[in-house]
Amino acid sequence: MAFNVILEMKGTEAHLTLSGELDAASAGVLKGTVEQAAGNNPAKLVMHMQDLSFMASAGLRVLIFAKQKMGEKVGITLIGCQAPVRSTLEMSGFHHSVYLQDAE
Amino acid sequence: MEPLVLPGTLDALSLIRQFVREAAGQAGLAQQAAYDLQLAVDEIATNIVTHGYEESGIGGDIRVEVDLNSERLAITLEDSAPAFDPRGLITAAARLLDAPLSERPIGGLGIFLTEQKMDGFEYEYRQGHNRNRFIMRRPGGKGLAP
């Protein structure tokens, strides 16, 4: 399924809603959207992950990019990751650096 | 299943995953195992495209082959890029897992994800081709006969 991402600013929070499959071919789209979000100097980055069915390490690299681009103080929260995506995040130690939250 | 042969570009990735998904379905792999296999194959295929073909400035195909027996499913990726054994990067990547996000190096992570959840992962360079082979035990399968 094709990857898609929507950016929405809610006050000082940047919200990204991801869907489809995030691989090396589509990671550039997410990276561009993260850059766009960073331009608004958000206090927090919230990523809605419920509809993301696949994430390769290229997606993890965008998370690293987001952290570097927005700075350590900007917390990153991932909401509603599907089990396999969550497993990848945990296996690679990313759950120490981003907040993982269950779906609302 | 007939082998799948695609030009070695990033556009091939989603088609390769779909092919692996079908093979995993035929093998009766559980959902998580099927996902892990897709991820592992995707990571190595990405490596072949970006490092093997694009960085070395040569083009070529990726061939995906399915080999299914009663015990296990084996997927083989074959390419004609310069010889590259991914197994050497796995230990290096594993050592960096505790580094803070902002200090993470870029490479290695995908390959680490590859080996973690496979029942077997093999590499060989033969007759000008890299062959990466991913093995998953089938439900009820006892051993890992080649």
Side-chain angles (χ1 to χ4, degrees):
Chain A
M1 199 176 122
F3 175 74
N4 192 39
V5 55
I6 297 163
L7 164 65
E8 194 186 349
M9 290 300 299
K10 292 182 181 172
T12 58
E13 296 182 356
H15 285 251
L16 299 181
T17 304
L18 286 66
S19 61
E21 301 187 352
L22 178 55
D23 63 9
S26 54
V29 175
L30 179 60
K31 193 177 173 189
T33 311
V34 165
E35 272 185 311
Q36 203 186 331
N40 293 311
N41 296 315
K44 190 178 170 186
L45 176 65
V46 182
M47 297 172 74
H48 300 268
M49 308 284 281
Q50 289 93 324
D51 295 326
L52 190 75
S53 56
F54 177 85
M55 184 176 71
S57 67
L60 297 176
R61 282 195 278 277
V62 180
L63 290 179
I64 297 176
F65 171 77
K67 202 76 181 174
Q68 290 169 342
K69 189 87 184 165
M70 295 182 181
E72 278 298 319
K73 284 182 186 160
V74 178
I76 301 179
T77 302
L78 272 50
I79 298 178
C81 290
Q82 294 184 18
V85 171
R86 191 179 178 116
S87 155
T88 299
L89 288 161
E90 289 175 348
M91 200 169 74
S92 47
F94 276 61
H95 57 304
H96 298 307
S97 305
V98 300
Y99 302 100
L100 297 181
Q101 220 175 77
D102 291 334
E104 290 145 343
Chain B
M1 289 168 76
E2 287 297 306
L4 177 73
V5 182
L6 296 165
T9 67
L10 291 179
D11 288 339
L13 296 175
S14 62
L15 296 168
I16 293 174
R17 288 198 302 275
Q18 194 184 331
F19 184 74
V20 171
R21 218 162 22 234
E22 282 169 27
Q26 284 190 12
L29 296 191
Q31 212 174 345
Q32 180 72 49
Y35 183 95
D36 292 340
L37 183 59
Q38 278 180 72
L39 179 61
V41 172
D42 182 88
E43 296 292 349
I44 295 296
T46 298
N47 229 49
I48 292 168
V49 171
T50 55
H51 300 301
Y53 286 137
E54 286 178 1
E55 272 176 21
S56 57
I58 54 165
D61 290 338
I62 298 182
R63 181 186 158 94
V64 195
E65 207 176 270
V66 174
D67 173 17
L68 182 64
N69 67 24
S70 59
E71 302 293 330
R72 55 104 190 101
L73 166 65
I75 303 273
T76 303
L77 286 185
E78 194 177 297
D79 66 83
S80 56
F84 176 71
D85 184 348
R87 292 171 304 179
L89 281 178
I90 291 166
T91 352
R95 277 202 297 271
L96 295 163
L97 289 181
D98 293 328
L101 213 50
S102 52
E103 293 167 21
R104 291 289 184 94
I106 291 302
L109 197 51
I111 288 167
F112 169 74
L113 291 176
T114 297
E115 217 201 18
Q116 282 299 298
K117 290 192 172 180
M118 293 300 95
D119 291 322
F121 177 66
E122 298 163 358
Y123 168 83
E124 64 170 348
Y125 187 74
R126 202 170 64 189
Q127 295 170 335
H129 288 80
N130 294 290
R131 287 171 59 88
N132 290 280
R133 189 170 150 98
F134 309 78
I135 302 166
M136 288 298 253
R137 199 176 295 126
R138 296 181 74 176
K142 294 185 189 87
L144 280 178

